[in-house]
Amino acid sequence: MEEPLVRPRSLTAEAAGLRSGAPGLSEYVDRLCALVERVDPLLHAFVPEPGRHRRLRARARELTARYPEPTGRPPLYGVAVGVKDIVHVDGLPTHGGSALPPGVLAGPQAAVVDRLLAAGALVAGKTVTAEFAASAPGPTRNPHRPGHTPGGSSSGSAAAVAAGLVPLAIGTQTVGSVIRPAAYCGVVGFRPTYGRIPVAGVIPNAPSFDTLGVFTADLAGAALAASLLCDDWRSAGDAGVDGGGDGAGAGSAPVCGVPDGPYLERAEPAARRAFEEQLTRLERAGVTVRRVPLFPDFAEVTRQLQTINRFELARSHADWFARFGGLYRPETVASIRVGQGVAAEDRASALQFRERLRERVAAAAGAAGVDLWLAPSATGGAPEGLHGTGDAVMSLPWSFLGLPALSLPAGRTPDGLPLGLQLVGAAGEDERLLARAASVERVLARP
């Protein structure tokens, strides 16, 4: 068996230590760069960057001079963050996982990077992405089993957090590009409500779905990152949720819905068995679990999402593809060609279908008293090989609807690969999702 490269680090602990001065930023940067130089030639989570150490040492000196006193330091003071390589960062070229000339893809720094820097973070580097956040994979390996995919398209971000290269990384999700790699790599992935983190400065895939998200080692780290990156963030108390309690039987314990039907049947047998075991553990701990028929027309949901996705991918790349189509990889070319054949009226019809589906799902949740939907984060463990990124289908309906979703590490396949439990909240209720997920995380953490 291949040697695992798994050493995730707590974002909250690392941020607290850096603000207190332990370690100092120069020492922290030296350790970070030494770790990347040692591990990343095996993992390929980061886009290669000559001069990374020099750049980070200069940024560390700036931060040290700006914030000499611990009490005045911002929440992510000095924390190293990986940024997916479709997100523009001043001073770092954007490749988008492609062979296109970086200058062609250049643009203003992304709003999410502005927020990271305002919080005191260090951009450790660009993380590898599937080509243009679609399906043609990059070279990144899964830290748990390097011969297996880390998922995609946010492959480098998930792997970098799982391997402990950084405690926080930024990804994007159009269909399943945060939740699935989080599950495959055994870390937490949070994809907020569509539009909650501004996507200005991010190369588009399908703008009706594209959403920025985060990877961390645990739920507390995801909550910290979300509070700094999402628009109009409220505390759990302001959101009307008591985040305290012990989990089992606590007032904060959510009512969890299981979406029975064709959608759930897409999970592989091992993932379904693990999911049922997780539901049993939650019920024994006092969490209410209700099975609700949902998505009986799941094949049509899939078709309508793909109609919008392919149309918008072709539209997003119309100019670049006309000039540089010969440099695109075959998987991306095939998707763009399909999108070029989709009529604008078919996309409009699919968007209307989505609005009706939103009403149906909200009504089903209300009728059953469901606070959170639960499902496997992926169809199973990470597939062997690096030629693909796995199946995004378990994220598909929630991404279609723009609902906030979270993947918690939960169990393993019979051969030891990580699995994830997906929690999905109501639109705009990201704070409630994270607060309520705490009771679920506590149950899953028990022996």
Side-chain angles (χ1 to χ4, degrees):
M1 183 179 295
E2 298 154 300
E3 184 70 22
L5 303 169
V6 183
R7 298 176 184 83
R9 298 167 8 210
S10 163
L11 172 61
T12 53
E14 195 150 308
L18 287 165
R19 288 196 307 272
S20 72
L25 285 195
S26 293
E27 180 185 353
Y28 178 74
V29 164
D30 291 347
R31 289 182 190 173
L32 165 68
C33 291
L35 182 63
V36 171
E37 290 171 8
R38 185 173 74 252
V39 173
D40 209 47
L42 305 173
L43 191 64
H44 305 292
F46 279 102
V47 175
E49 181 197 343
R52 186 192 313 272
H53 198 173
R54 182 173 61 253
R55 175 180 64 82
L56 290 174
R57 285 294 296 267
R59 169 68 173 160
R61 286 193 297 270
E62 292 173 6
L63 284 171
T64 302
R66 188 181 309 165
Y67 303 107
E69 297 300 325
T71 54
R73 290 171 178 167
L76 295 184
Y77 173 79
V79 171
V81 181
V83 177
K84 186 175 180 177
D85 191 29
I86 62 166
V87 179
H88 294 311
V89 178
D90 287 349
L92 296 178
T94 300
H95 300 273
S98 77
L100 271 65
V104 171
L105 304 174
Q109 180 163 278
V112 68
V113 176
D114 291 338
R115 293 182 182 187
L116 287 168
L117 296 180
L122 294 170
V123 176
K126 291 294 199 74
T127 52
V128 170
T129 175
E131 186 180 52
F132 293 119
S135 58
T140 308
R141 296 173 173 270
N142 191 309
H144 291 264
R145 201 77 59 81
H148 290 238
T149 178
S153 60
S154 305
S155 49
S157 291
V161 170
L165 300 183
V166 291
L168 170 64
I170 303 301
T172 64
Q173 179 159 311
T174 301
V175 181
S177 296
V178 169
I179 299 300
R180 181 172 84 263
Y184 284 175
C185 292
V187 297
V188 170
F190 173 57
R191 195 285 316 276
T193 298
Y194 171 78
R196 194 76 192 267
I197 303 176
V199 294
V202 179
I203 294 176
N205 180 310
S208 290
F209 307 133
D210 295 345
T211 306
L212 282 153
V214 301
F215 297 91
T216 57
D218 55 26
L219 184 60
L224 172 60
S227 72
L228 299 170
L229 300 178
C230 291
D231 284 338
D232 303 318
W233 192 259
R234 299 166 292 162
S235 68
D238 290 339
V241 179
D242 175 11
D246 227 3
S252 61
V255 175
C256 297
V258 177
D260 277 341
Y263 158 70
L264 198 57
E265 292 166 4
R266 294 295 297 271
E268 297 168 3
R272 284 292 300 275
R273 285 193 297 272
F275 180 58
E276 292 297 333
E277 291 170 2
Q278 291 150 17
L279 295 179
T280 298
R281 292 180 65 185
L282 289 170
E283 289 180 304
R284 288 175 178 169
V287 176
T288 301
V289 175
R290 295 176 181 163
R291 297 178 185 270
V292 182
L294 202 67
F295 308 126
D297 54 346
F298 185 62
E300 183 64 11
V301 173
T302 301
R303 188 182 75 81
Q304 298 285 5
L305 175 139
Q306 290 175 343
T307 295
I308 301 168
N309 193 346
R310 297 297 184 262
F311 176 92
E312 294 188 358
L313 177 67
R315 181 68 62 89
S316 295
H317 284 266
D319 177 61
W320 293 326
F321 190 69
R323 292 188 288 151
F324 302 104
L327 298 178
Y328 280 64
R329 292 175 63 183
E331 300 96 322
T332 314
V333 170
S335 294
I336 289 174
R337 293 295 188 201
V338 170
Q340 290 172 336
V342 175
E345 53 266 31
D346 290 337
R347 171 182 175 266
S349 176
L351 289 170
Q352 292 172 356
F353 176 91
R354 178 171 69 171
E355 291 309 308
R356 295 192 296 271
L357 184 63
R358 280 176 172 158
E359 294 173 0
R360 282 168 41 197
V361 171
V370 167
D371 297 312
L372 303 176
W373 295 104
L374 300 183
S377 298
T379 56
E384 187 172 5
L386 303 177
H387 54 279
T389 61
D391 192 339
V393 72
M394 302 314 295
S395 290
L396 187 148
W398 318 116
S399 294
F400 189 39
L401 298 173
L403 301 179
L406 176 73
S407 181
L408 296 176
R412 291 182 177 267
T413 64
D415 60 347
L417 288 166
L419 294 169
L421 177 64
Q422 184 175 196
L423 291 74
V424 181
E429 296 194 0
D430 307 65
E431 296 90 345
R432 289 177 180 265
L433 171 61
L434 288 167
R436 287 166 168 161
S439 60
V440 176
E441 185 184 51
R442 284 191 290 269
V443 172
L444 295 178
R446 294 173 185 168

